[in-house]
């Protein structure tokens, strides 16, 4: 089975790795190398954000949690299990992700910074992307994956780059342009990188009055964030936003007061009302879409990769055993609707 994966970020690379493990011959076509993708900039602490539908985000997120937990145990570069603290000014209600984290408990008063009365403690995967993405790229290469650097103007061009039985579409924000999907939109995220003064715990306040705030320590720095700016295409960091991020993150972790930024960067997450994980029959051949992960690209990566691989398998078995879509169309999906529901995912 020959599969072309379009996209070289975390979703594309994870999907390529899964397909290679299933025995497929895989070509990855990407406009940029991993270091120039949005995935490289991600704070990348497991936490479902700005993605739907909730029931499938929970499923895919749970599978990804388990994959990263296993990788942390195997000492995969950049993967750790990180103690975390979510802060609240009012008692937190139940969230969809709570049932996925066995370590979840209420924070004690002595674990809370000034100004906070409530918190949750838990342990989740944290991924240092400048370490992890090169490892994953090499993992795919070592498993026989082939990479082609090419910017596609249409998804149909994937068949011109490499012969394929199926194309798997993991192009992130570019998916809107490649498929004419008007529901895809940018969710701009600005972050600030500062030296790590000895912080070991990830801390977040999703409802900070000045804007969402999080502090994610890495081996040599801390990632401070952040923003969810829907519909903004600009990637130039804003100085006022940088100053605000520094102030509100110091509320969470007082040790960061006066931290001097190493850099501020902004990236564009691939927003969509729901993740699109579905088969589309086109005139060139079947496409398995895997995009629209919003702020949860890392959190859903391995769960969605497994679901996409299952759709590839179902698409390539003989039609006598799997119902086929007999009317090809560039806009027709089968096997799952835009929510990803379907017999392959149930």
């Amino acid at each position: 089975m020959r599969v072309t994966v379009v996209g070289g970020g975390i979703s594309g690379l994870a999907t390529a790795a899964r397909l290679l493990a299933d025995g497929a011959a895989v070509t990855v076509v990407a406009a940029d190398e991993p270091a120039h993708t949005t995935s490289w900039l991600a704070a990348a602490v497991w936490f479902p954000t700005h993605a739907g539908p909730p029931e499938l985000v929970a499923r895919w997120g749970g599978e990804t949690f388990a994959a990263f937990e296993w990788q942390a145990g195997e000492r995969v570069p950049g993967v750790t299990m990180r103690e975390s603290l979510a802060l609240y000014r009012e008692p937190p209600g139940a969230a969809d992700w709570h049932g996925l984290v066995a370590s979840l408990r209420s924070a004690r008063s002595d674990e809370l910074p000034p100004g906070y009365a409530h918190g949750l403690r838990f342990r989740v995967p944290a991924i240092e992307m400048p370490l992890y993405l090169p490892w994953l790229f090499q993992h795919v290469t070592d498993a026989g994956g082939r990479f082609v650097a090419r910017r596609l103007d249409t998804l149909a061009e994937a068949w011109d780059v490499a012969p394929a039985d199926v194309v798997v579409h993991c192009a992130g924000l570019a998916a809107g342009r490649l498929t004419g999907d008007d529901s895809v939109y940018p969710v701009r995220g600005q972050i600030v990188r500062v030296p790590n003064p000895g912080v070991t715990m990830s801390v977040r306040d999703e409802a900070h009055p000045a804007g969402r705030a999080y502090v994610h320590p890495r081996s040599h720095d801390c990632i401070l964030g952040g923003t969810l700016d829907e519909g903004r295409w600009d990637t130039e960091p804003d100085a006022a936003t940088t100053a605000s991020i520094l102030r509100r993150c110091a509320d969470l972790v007082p040790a960061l007061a006066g931290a001097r930024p190493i850099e501020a960067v902004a990236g564009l997450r691939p927003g969509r009302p729901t993740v699109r994980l579905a088969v589309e029959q086109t005139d060139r051949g079947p496409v398995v879409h895997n995009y629209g992960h919003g702020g949860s690209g890392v959190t859903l990566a391995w769960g969605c990769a497994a679901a996409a691989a299952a759709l590839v398998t179902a698409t390539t078995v003989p039609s006598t055993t799997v119902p086929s879509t007999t009317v090809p169309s560039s806009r027709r999906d089968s096997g799952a609707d835009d929510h990803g529901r379907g017999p392959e995912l149930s």
Side-chain angles (χ1 to χ4, degrees):
M1 177 173 55
R2 303 165 302 172
V3 182
T4 295
V5 175
V6 177
I10 183 65
S11 295
L13 292 178
T15 301
R18 178 58 188 256
L19 288 164
L20 286 161
D22 288 348
V26 176
T27 299
V28 177
V29 179
D32 299 302
E33 60 186 42
H36 295 141
T37 64
T38 297
S39 297
W40 188 272
L41 304 178
V45 173
W46 186 98
F47 194 84
T49 302
H50 210 84
E55 67 277 12
L56 288 174
V57 165
R59 178 188 300 180
W60 297 325
E63 293 170 358
T64 302
F65 188 112
F68 280 132
E69 188 173 38
W70 180 84
Q71 290 179 13
E74 294 295 306
R75 300 186 181 275
V76 168
V79 185
T80 59
M81 295 301 292
R82 179 73 66 184
E83 290 294 329
S84 303
L85 171 64
L87 297 170
Y88 305 90
R89 288 170 175 78
E90 302 293 335
D96 293 320
W97 61 270
H98 286 180
L100 304 174
V101 182
S103 61
L104 186 71
R105 66 171 175 82
S106 296
R108 302 187 308 267
S109 59
D110 63 343
E111 295 174 319
L112 302 173
Y116 289 93
H118 306 278
L120 294 174
R121 283 288 305 270
F122 48 92
R123 191 167 177 262
V124 295
I127 319 301
E128 195 163 342
M129 298 302 273
L131 299 177
Y132 184 69
L133 281 182
W135 173 85
L136 185 55
F137 183 93
Q138 189 64 49
H139 175 77
V140 169
T141 301
D142 290 346
R146 171 174 171 256
F147 283 83
V148 176
R150 183 77 60 86
R151 183 186 187 277
L152 303 181
D153 292 319
T154 67
L155 202 56
E157 293 175 14
W159 277 273
D160 300 326
V161 175
D165 301 302
V166 185
V167 166
V168 183
H169 176 208
C170 306
L173 188 59
R177 171 178 60 82
L178 290 175
T179 64
D181 185 346
D182 295 335
S183 69
V184 178
Y185 60 92
V187 183
R188 181 182 180 275
Q190 181 168 325
I191 59 174
V192 183
R193 191 163 65 90
V194 302
N196 189 341
V199 178
T200 59
M201 181 183 298
S202 291
V203 186
R204 65 173 69 236
D205 177 3
E206 295 290 316
H208 192 285
R212 68 194 299 259
Y214 53 78
V215 175
H216 297 321
R218 304 195 301 186
S219 54
H220 301 294
D221 57 18
C222 284
I223 300 298
L224 313 185
T227 65
L228 287 168
D229 305 320
E230 294 188 4
R232 283 187 60 177
W233 286 93
D234 61 291
T235 56
E236 184 67 26
D238 176 76
T241 301
T242 295
S244 177
I245 289 172
L246 290 169
R247 285 193 301 270
R248 61 204 196 220
C249 286
D251 291 342
L252 276 59
V253 181
L256 291 171
R260 293 182 176 273
I262 299 170
E263 65 175 346
V265 296
L268 304 179
R269 307 175 183 94
R272 194 175 186 271
T274 61
V275 173
R276 188 182 187 190
L277 223 168
V279 180
E280 179 184 7
Q281 301 293 340
T282 76
D283 293 336
R284 298 296 298 270
V287 175
V288 172
H289 295 288
N290 179 16
Y291 67 86
H293 304 101
S296 297
V298 173
T299 298
L300 304 181
W302 289 102
C304 285
L311 289 174
V312 168
T313 299
T315 300
T316 55
V317 299
S319 59
T320 55
T321 58
V322 174
S324 63
T325 301
T326 57
V327 183
S329 166
S330 63
R331 301 294 295 174
R332 183 179 179 89
D333 288 342
S334 64
D337 65 16
D338 278 0
H339 286 185
R341 296 184 181 89
E344 298 85 352
L345 302 180
S346 59

